């Protein structure tokens, strides 16, 4: 994966140099500028005591940077499948709820689904699957909760032909049963039960007068989270699972939850009170002692709520994709009745015929309310993405060294109750993030995951741009544009993410009282920039994904229906909410948009909607220097926010702190930004021709006579020879008008890639060491964190 990434970035780096050659052929203007810094190794990082920058309210804050670094890399750790409450959503959206307190604030209850039987199954029409798993359909049951304000989903339920759950747009939670493979019969299932005590799902083939069936003899129930059970629709899809491929829907049906489980019309408090009344009656009758009331109520909530068991007839099916056989049959039947004309009519009718909806699903349903008791919240330990790294310890040691142990505890940015609320992942686009909160400090942290899947590499290496605001004219060169892959990835999770971010604030409290930090590494840094630009300019608008010219849905409708019951409980506000403060600290982030987007980002800060924006870069990190500007393709990229340079220590300079902040440490040009112009006059100072011309002028100035002597010419030839013996690639490039400083910088980028430094400096272990050095610690993987001043 690293080699693929390296090759892609290497090609882009070479493209940047070649692009400058093409640009120079059409323009030869001299450009004057200060000489920029090239890399952190060449005076790029002022050796600054990072503590000096901590007192500035508007300056770079090392405490915040170190805290964000831990969460930026912590986002790489995806919760295991069995460690969290996973919400498998439609269109590839999955959410893992890691905090019980947050989950209870989000959902009112769960529906327990126990599969029993599927009947009316067709035969397998895929020869490869038939060879692998048998000749029948490999059936499983999918269930989704359809609620909220997704009009597309509500309309879908009423249609006769669709792909079932696969066609849902905003279904929050999808559950699925195990698969009844068609090569497992009842005999094999009984044999497995004798061996393990539990029978596996099995298939009953079609026989004379009976359709094929799938049976779950000892089923494991699965659960669907619901936010408003009284207004929830359950969509059931009978699905043909595949060993190879994604499988396909066979048919679907839906039912209102309150129709099969009437008790969901009651509030949780009413359900519990009813159960308490029943328990009290049992106490009075002597069946239960008074000291057992709490235990008996708890058992009743999980056992005595009346379940539903029955059969649901499928009411919709997918459209037939291949109608060749029925067109042929229709044509043949029509020809028998009315000749050629009848054949034409029969073929047309055969092409329109979709077949009958067949099949039934038998299952058990039970509703379980989630008690809203106060939950204790344990402090989340921030480690990192690589075993042996402990960002949380480095952060706390830094605070203790700077403030002392007692004051360090008070200075913890997230207090002592930091909790991971949820992890969000989109399988198709690679968009991933984790969201944390501290109710003690009224803080929300959104951390985006970087590149760790093949789909992420595809997202990363493109250079194409789309309008930042969907619907604007892509041919307009004046509008803000962003990387097409980054936008697609962020857009896929943005709306759902904003809904959940709003839900992190407990009921009765206001988002305006909460501070928000946004962070991420690599691709995650790019997504962090886009997310910050969106909510910084428009507020947390949960009525849409990323900005668009079309009007957003009323953002509060989704929130009130999802998290507050029926619509209309709260009065609609005037505008989407904003946090008390908004800051973004990202690490190794690529460039995300053009200069117009960067200017737009700066304007958000100037208006006071974004408090801080820093982009931390470790030495030669190549990802922070791409995508490259492609003038010939009319593609330009620029950075957002101020650059901060750190550098991994070596044995020779381990005790020296390296921390350079653009516009704060000194007035040097940022070494990570591209030049405004890449061309210069071939005769300007510092170029090969310019140096040779200056040598000639020197000789002319020193001459007294009009004609040079042979000695003077020999002296001039010697100087020419000496200068030509030191010719570099940059000198050659300057002959045709490419700025020498620019070409030197591009060559260094290519060299860093060839040597491996460019990618090595992008990795977590290198950032860990560099950030440790910046605050005065040796931080290495698998080793104790030690103050550099205490090193021998």
């Amino acid at each position: 994966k690293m080699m693929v990434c390296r090759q892609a970035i290497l090609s882009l780096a070479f493209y940047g140099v070649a692009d400058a050659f093409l640009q120079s052929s059409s323009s030869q203007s001299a450009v004057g500028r200060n000489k920029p810094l090239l890399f952190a190794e060449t005076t790029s990082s002022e050796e600054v005591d990072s503590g000096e920058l901590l007192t500035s309210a508007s300056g770079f804050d090392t405490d915040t940077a170190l805290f964000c670094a831990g969460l930026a890399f912590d986002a790489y750790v995806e919760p295991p499948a069995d460690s969290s409450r996973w919400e498998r959503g439609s269109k590839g959206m999955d959410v893992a709820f890691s905090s019980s307190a947050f989950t209870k604030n989000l959902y009112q209850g769960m529906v327990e689904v126990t599969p029993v039987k599927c009947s009316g199954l067709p035969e397998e029409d895929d020869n490869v699957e038939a060879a692998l798993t048998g000749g029948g359909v490999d059936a499983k049951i999918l269930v989704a909760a359809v609620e909220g304000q997704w009009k597309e989903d509500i309309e879908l339920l009423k249609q006769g032909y669709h792909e079932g759950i696969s066609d849902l747009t905003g279904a929050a939670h999808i559950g699925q049963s195990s698969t009844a493979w068609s090569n497992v019969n009842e005999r094999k299932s009984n044999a497995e039960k004798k061996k393990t005590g539990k029978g596996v799902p099995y298939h009953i083939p079609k026989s004379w007068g009976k359709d094929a069936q799938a049976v779950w003899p000892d089923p494991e129930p699965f659960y669907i989270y619901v936010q408003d059970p009284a207004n929830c629709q359950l969509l059931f899809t009978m699905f043909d699972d595949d060993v190879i491929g994604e499988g396909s829907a066979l048919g679907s049906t839906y039912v209102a939850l309150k129709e099969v489980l009437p008790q969901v019309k009651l509030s949780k408090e009413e359900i519990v009170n009813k159960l308490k009344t029943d328990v009290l009656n049992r106490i009075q009758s002597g069946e239960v002692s008074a000291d057992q009331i709490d235990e008996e109520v708890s058992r009743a909530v999980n056992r005595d709520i009346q379940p539903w068991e029955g059969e649901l007839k499928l009411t919709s099916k997918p459209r037939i994709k291949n109608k060749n056989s029925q067109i042929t049959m229709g044509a043949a039947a029509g020809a028998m009745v009315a000749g050629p004309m009848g054949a034409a009519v029969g073929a047309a009718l055969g092409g329109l015929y979709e077949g009958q909806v067949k099949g039934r699903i038998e299952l058990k349903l039970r509703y379980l309310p989630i008690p809203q008791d106060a939950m204790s919240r344990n402090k989340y330990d921030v480690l990192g993405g690589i075993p042996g790294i402990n960002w949380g310890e480095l952060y706390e040691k830094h605070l203790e060294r700077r403030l002392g142990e007692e004051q360090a505890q008070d200075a913890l940015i997230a207090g002592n109750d930091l909790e991971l609320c949820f992890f969000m992942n989109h399988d198709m686009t690679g968009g991933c993030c984790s969201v944390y909160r501290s109710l003690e400090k009224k803080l929300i942290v959104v951390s985006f995951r970087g590149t760790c899947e093949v789909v992420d590499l595809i997202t990363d290496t493109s250079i194409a741009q789309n309008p930042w605001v969907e619907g604007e004219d892509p041919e307009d060169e004046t509008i803000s544009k962003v990387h097409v892959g980054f936008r697609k990835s962020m857009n896929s999770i943005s709306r759902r993410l904003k809904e959940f971010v709003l839900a992190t604030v407990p009921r009765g409290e206001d988002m305006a009282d909460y501070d928000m930090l946004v962070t991420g590494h690599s691709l995650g840094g790019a997504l962090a920039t886009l997310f910050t630009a969106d909510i910084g300019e428009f507020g947390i608008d949960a009525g849409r994904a990323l900005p668009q010219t079309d009007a957003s849905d009323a953002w509060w409708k989704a929130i009130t229906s999802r998290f507050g019951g029926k619509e209309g409980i709260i009065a609609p506000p005037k505008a989407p909410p904003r946090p008390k403060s908004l800051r973004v600290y990202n690490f190794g982030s690529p460039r995300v948009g053009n200069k117009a987007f960067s200017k737009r980002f700066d304007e958000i800060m100037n208006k006071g909607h974004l408090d801080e924006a820093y982009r931390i870069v470790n030495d030669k990190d190549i990802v922070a220097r791409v995508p490259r500007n492609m003038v010939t393709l009319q593609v330009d990229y620029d950075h957002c926010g101020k650059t901060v340079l750190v550098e991994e220590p070596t044995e020779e300079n381990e005790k020296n702190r390296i921390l350079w902040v653009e516009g704060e440490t000194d007035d040097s040009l940022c070494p990570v930004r591209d030049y405004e112009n890449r061309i210069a006059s071939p005769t300007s100072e510092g170029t090969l021709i310019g140096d040779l011309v200056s040598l000639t002028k020197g000789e002319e100035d020193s001459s007294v006579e009009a004609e040079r002597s042979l000695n003077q010419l020999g002296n001039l030839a010697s100087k020419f020879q000496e200068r030509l013996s030191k010719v570099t690639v940059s000198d050659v490039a300057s002959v045709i008008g490419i700025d020498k400083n620019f070409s030197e910088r591009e060559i260094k980028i290519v060299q860093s890639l060839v040597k491996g430094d460019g990618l090595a400096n992008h990795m977590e272990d290198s950032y860990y060491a560099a950030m440790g050095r910046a605050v005065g610690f040796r931080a290495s993987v698998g080793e104790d964190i030690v103050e550099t001043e205490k090193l021998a």
Side-chain angles (χ1 to χ4, degrees):
K1 190 182 301 181
M2 185 184 294
M3 290 185 68
V4 173
C5 187
R6 176 177 175 177
Q7 290 171 358
I9 299 174
L10 184 59
S11 65
L12 291 177
F14 276 117
Y15 202 139
V17 179
D19 191 55
F21 277 90
L22 293 174
Q23 181 191 10
S24 68
S25 65
S26 61
S27 177
Q28 295 284 349
S29 63
V31 180
R33 64 176 67 86
N34 294 326
K35 183 176 180 179
L37 306 171
L38 297 179
F39 283 102
E41 65 182 7
T42 59
T43 71
S44 65
S45 298
E46 195 79 18
E47 293 186 7
V48 177
D49 186 338
S50 54
E52 295 176 7
L53 298 171
L54 294 171
T55 57
S56 174
S58 59
F60 178 75
D61 182 41
T62 50
D63 293 1
T64 302
L66 206 53
F67 173 75
C68 287
L71 296 182
F73 290 102
D74 186 76
Y76 281 95
V77 183
E78 181 173 325
D82 59 350
S83 68
S84 305
R85 299 166 179 83
W86 277 94
E87 175 188 276
R88 305 293 181 181
S90 59
K91 305 296 184 183
M93 173 74 75
D94 296 333
V95 182
F97 297 104
S98 300
S99 164
S100 296
F102 175 73
T103 307
K104 289 191 173 186
N105 185 57
L106 195 63
Y107 291 105
Q108 293 195 42
M110 298 184 294
V111 178
E112 181 185 80
V113 183
T114 305
V116 177
K117 183 191 299 183
C118 285
S119 57
L121 301 177
E123 295 301 307
E124 178 64 70
D125 59 0
D126 187 323
N127 293 332
V128 176
E129 281 295 319
L132 291 172
T133 64
V137 163
D138 306 306
K140 68 177 178 181
I141 300 172
L142 305 181
V143 185
V146 179
E147 48 189 344
Q149 297 298 314
W150 294 89
K151 297 177 182 177
E152 302 93 333
D153 290 348
I154 301 299
E155 291 299 321
L156 177 74
L157 298 180
K158 303 173 184 178
Q159 297 174 13
Y161 301 103
H162 56 75
E163 297 287 336
I165 285 173
S166 300
D167 278 348
L168 291 176
T169 301
H173 196 185
I174 294 174
Q176 59 182 334
S177 70
S178 55
T179 301
W181 299 105
S182 60
N183 59 1
V184 177
N185 56 28
E186 187 175 7
R187 180 176 56 81
K188 290 183 179 179
S189 178
N190 290 335
E192 183 68 19
K193 186 167 186 175
K194 289 181 180 179
K195 185 187 302 183
T196 64
K198 182 179 293 186
V200 296
Y202 61 88
H203 181 82
I204 301 176
K206 182 178 180 180
S207 60
W208 183 259
K210 290 185 179 181
D211 290 324
Q213 298 180 353
V215 180
W216 286 262
D218 297 301
E220 287 286 342
F222 57 94
Y223 298 87
I224 304 294
Y225 286 94
V226 291
Q227 295 154 343
D228 184 11
N231 294 284
C232 173
Q233 307 275 350
L234 293 180
L235 175 63
F236 302 87
T237 296
M238 186 189 296
F239 197 82
D240 181 11
D241 204 357
D242 283 347
V243 174
I244 301 175
E246 299 179 351
S248 58
L250 301 173
S252 301
T253 189
Y254 72 98
V255 65
L257 182 58
K258 63 185 178 183
E259 291 181 9
V260 290
L261 297 171
Q263 65 267 30
V264 301
K265 298 177 184 178
L266 304 175
S267 67
K268 284 170 289 194
E269 292 76 13
E270 289 173 323
I271 293 174
V272 172
N273 288 336
K274 181 178 181 300
L275 292 171
K276 284 185 177 181
T277 301
D278 294 340
V279 172
L280 287 173
N281 291 335
R282 297 183 67 186
I283 292 174
Q284 293 175 357
S285 65
E287 297 179 47
V288 178
S289 61
D291 59 354
Q292 295 176 316
I293 183 170
D294 291 335
E295 182 180 348
E296 186 64 23
V297 168
S298 178
R299 281 200 299 264
V301 169
N302 293 295
R303 182 196 63 205
D304 294 343
I305 295 179
Q306 187 66 38
W308 176 88
E309 181 175 1
E311 191 175 68
L312 298 173
K313 182 181 178 181
L314 302 186
T315 56
S316 64
K317 64 183 288 294
R319 292 187 180 275
I320 299 174
K321 295 180 175 62
N322 187 345
K323 299 182 179 180
N324 291 336
S325 60
Q326 62 193 51
I327 291 174
T328 302
M329 293 177 63
M336 292 175 64
V337 176
M341 183 65 71
V345 174
L349 292 175
L352 296 174
Y353 183 66
E354 294 291 345
Q356 295 181 336
V357 180
K358 294 179 62 177
R360 295 175 180 272
I361 297 175
E362 185 179 339
L363 41 71
K364 299 176 184 177
L365 300 175
R366 189 163 64 125
Y367 177 69
L368 304 174
I370 300 176
Q372 294 299 301
D373 302 332
M375 293 287 298
S376 60
R377 290 173 287 109
N378 298 323
K379 181 181 177 181
Y380 181 78
D381 292 326
V382 180
L383 299 176
I386 298 176
I389 285 181
N390 194 326
W391 286 100
E393 182 182 356
L394 176 60
Y395 167 63
E396 292 186 4
K397 280 183 175 290
H398 160 66
L399 289 181
E400 290 174 3
R401 176 181 180 274
R402 190 173 69 82
L403 301 172
E405 186 173 349
E406 185 174 340
Q407 290 187 355
Q409 286 297 312
D410 296 332
L412 289 172
I413 291 175
N416 290 293
D417 70 337
L418 178 70
E419 60 178 331
L420 170 59
C421 293
F422 62 89
F423 171 86
M424 179 176 288
N425 174 43
H426 200 289
D427 290 338
M428 301 177 188
T429 67
C432 298
C433 72
S434 295
V435 174
Y436 311 77
R437 71 176 179 180
S438 166
L439 299 183
E440 175 189 334
K441 294 290 187 176
K442 293 189 180 297
L443 173 71
I444 299 168
V445 184
V446 183
S447 176
F448 292 89
R449 190 179 74 179
T451 306
C452 61
E453 301 288 347
V454 175
V455 67
D456 299 340
L457 292 177
I458 297 172
T459 297
D460 289 353
T461 55
S462 170
I463 63 168
Q465 294 177 337
N466 271 348
W468 165 236
V469 178
E470 183 180 353
E472 289 187 342
D473 182 7
E475 301 301 322
D476 186 348
E477 297 181 359
T478 65
I479 65 171
S480 301
K481 295 181 180 179
V482 295
H483 186 283
V484 61
F486 299 161
R487 193 187 193 285
K488 180 179 179 182
S489 184
M490 186 66 244
N491 199 63
S492 68
I493 64 174
S494 181
R495 183 170 182 174
R496 188 81 173 132
L497 172 60
K498 286 183 282 189
E499 289 177 356
F500 280 152
V501 166
L502 290 172
T504 59
V505 177
R507 295 177 186 178
E509 297 190 27
D510 194 338
M511 174 62 74
D513 296 327
Y514 278 72
D515 297 303
M516 182 177 293
L517 280 171
V518 185
T519 188
H521 169 254
S522 191
L523 167 63
L527 301 187
T529 302
L530 295 180
F531 181 75
T532 303
D534 180 16
I535 66 174
E537 183 172 359
F538 301 102
I540 308 176
D541 186 352
R544 57 155 174 79
L546 289 180
Q548 59 188 31
T549 54
D550 292 341
S552 301
D553 293 340
W555 68 267
W556 66 85
K557 288 186 178 180
I559 304 306
T560 55
S561 62
R562 284 181 186 268
F563 310 129
K566 296 182 179 179
E567 183 182 339
I569 288 180
I570 60 174
K574 295 181 179 180
R578 295 180 179 274
K580 178 182 179 182
S581 68
L582 178 62
R583 295 181 290 165
V584 57
Y585 282 65
N586 59 45
F587 300 81
S589 171
R591 302 156 178 173
V592 300
N594 62 3
K595 289 181 175 61
F597 178 78
S598 178
K599 182 179 179 181
R600 186 174 189 149
F601 191 90
D602 291 340
E603 289 173 352
I604 296 171
M605 294 194 68
N606 295 336
K607 292 177 180 178
H609 295 319
L610 175 58
D611 299 272
E612 294 175 9
Y614 290 99
R615 187 168 167 274
I616 295 141
V617 178
N618 178 28
D619 200 8
K620 300 180 180 65
D621 184 348
I622 187 62
V623 175
R625 293 166 167 86
V626 295
R628 313 298 294 155
N629 283 336
M630 305 296 176
V631 178
T632 52
L633 299 179
Q634 296 184 328
V635 175
D636 75 280
Y637 279 93
D638 200 8
H639 297 300
C640 294
K642 293 182 178 180
T643 298
V644 178
L645 293 177
V646 294
E647 183 179 339
E648 191 175 358
T650 63
E651 292 182 2
E652 294 76 21
N653 62 12
E654 187 171 22
K655 292 186 179 181
N656 297 329
R657 299 193 197 182
I658 297 294
L659 183 66
W660 181 88
V661 183
E662 182 182 8
E664 297 181 20
T665 301
D666 54 38
D667 59 356
S668 299
L669 294 179
C670 172
V672 184
R673 295 185 185 274
D674 272 348
Y675 297 115
E676 289 296 324
N677 297 288
R678 305 177 179 187
I679 59 177
S681 169
T683 60
S684 62
E685 183 180 353
T687 65
L688 176 61
I689 295 177
D691 288 349
L692 295 180
V693 170
S694 66
L695 291 175
T696 304
K697 288 180 178 179
E699 289 300 322
E700 289 176 353
D701 292 342
S702 63
S703 298
V704 178
E705 309 235 347
E707 295 182 0
R708 299 183 179 126
S709 66
L710 291 176
N711 289 336
Q712 288 175 320
L713 289 174
N715 184 36
L716 183 61
S718 176
K719 291 182 178 180
F720 268 48
Q721 184 177 5
E722 181 181 0
R723 177 63 182 88
L724 291 172
S725 68
K726 300 177 181 178
V727 169
T728 65
V729 175
S730 299
D731 289 328
V732 176
S734 70
V735 172
I736 61 172
I738 295 181
D739 184 86
K740 183 178 179 182
N741 291 330
F742 166 76
S743 59
E744 285 179 351
R745 171 179 160 178
E746 297 298 300
I747 291 167
K748 281 183 176 288
I749 290 176
V750 174
Q751 289 173 341
S752 73
L753 275 169
V754 173
K755 294 178 182 178
D757 296 339
L759 285 178
N761 287 158
H762 184 65
M763 301 306 169
E764 180 181 8
D765 55 341
S766 187
Y767 269 92
Y768 186 57
M771 290 298 294
R773 179 188 187 184
V775 295
F777 287 89
R778 175 198 280 173
S780 301
V781 179
E783 298 181 9
D784 292 337
I785 300 171
V786 182
E787 289 186 38
T788 52
E789 293 180 358
K790 296 180 180 180
L791 296 175

